[in-house]
Amino acid sequence: MARAATTSDAFNAIAEPQRRDILVLLRAGEWPVTDLARQLGMSQPRASKHLRVLREVGLVRVREAGKQRLYGLDARALQPVHEWLGGFERFWAGGFDRLDAYVQELKQAQEE
């Protein structure tokens, strides 16, 4: 089965680890592409291609600042990912609650 285009939605866009790395950096604020590329150890054209994909799905916005283009995070496009992960968060939280109860039982048994 053919894989969907990476620009179709946020799920496909963030499937690429280097794009996730870019999003992590952009959480701290705006960056020019040259600084992003340098920080991530990739060429400027490669960073630009990743930014284009992220921009097309709405995860990144661009602002002109003189001769520079600054890229910033627009996390609203991550909402579908967040909603999808919500079910798993409840699963993990339940597991941690059970683990905590078990640890408390062990402590109580040790004190007796």
Side-chain angles (χ1 to χ4, degrees):
M1 174 183 266
R3 191 170 160 233
T6 56
T7 58
S8 64
D9 63 23
F11 288 94
N12 285 322
I14 65 172
E16 162 59 51
Q18 290 182 317
R19 290 190 202 120
R20 292 192 307 267
D21 292 342
I22 289 170
L23 294 176
V24 167
L25 290 176
L26 294 179
R27 285 190 310 201
E30 296 178 323
W31 288 64
V33 66
T34 53
D35 292 352
L36 281 169
R38 187 177 317 112
Q39 181 71 24
L40 295 171
M42 67 176 71
S43 68
Q44 186 273 329
R46 184 159 182 79
S48 292
K49 287 179 182 181
H50 286 307
L51 286 165
R52 180 184 50 79
V53 170
L54 294 169
R55 205 172 57 246
E56 287 177 1
V57 298
L59 287 168
V60 169
R61 66 183 183 290
V62 183
R63 181 175 67 85
E64 301 287 332
K67 292 183 179 184
Q68 269 191 331
R69 297 179 66 165
L70 298 176
Y71 294 85
L73 178 64
D74 189 349
R76 292 176 292 182
L78 287 172
Q79 187 65 33
V81 176
H82 176 72
E83 290 170 0
W84 182 77
L85 283 172
F88 297 101
E89 289 174 11
R90 288 186 289 279
F91 171 76
W92 294 323
F96 289 129
D97 290 344
R98 288 188 301 276
L99 178 61
D100 185 51
Y102 178 68
V103 168
Q104 294 306 320
E105 287 175 20
L106 290 176
K107 284 183 180 178
Q108 187 177 12
Q110 195 175 33
E111 291 172 359
E112 295 174 353

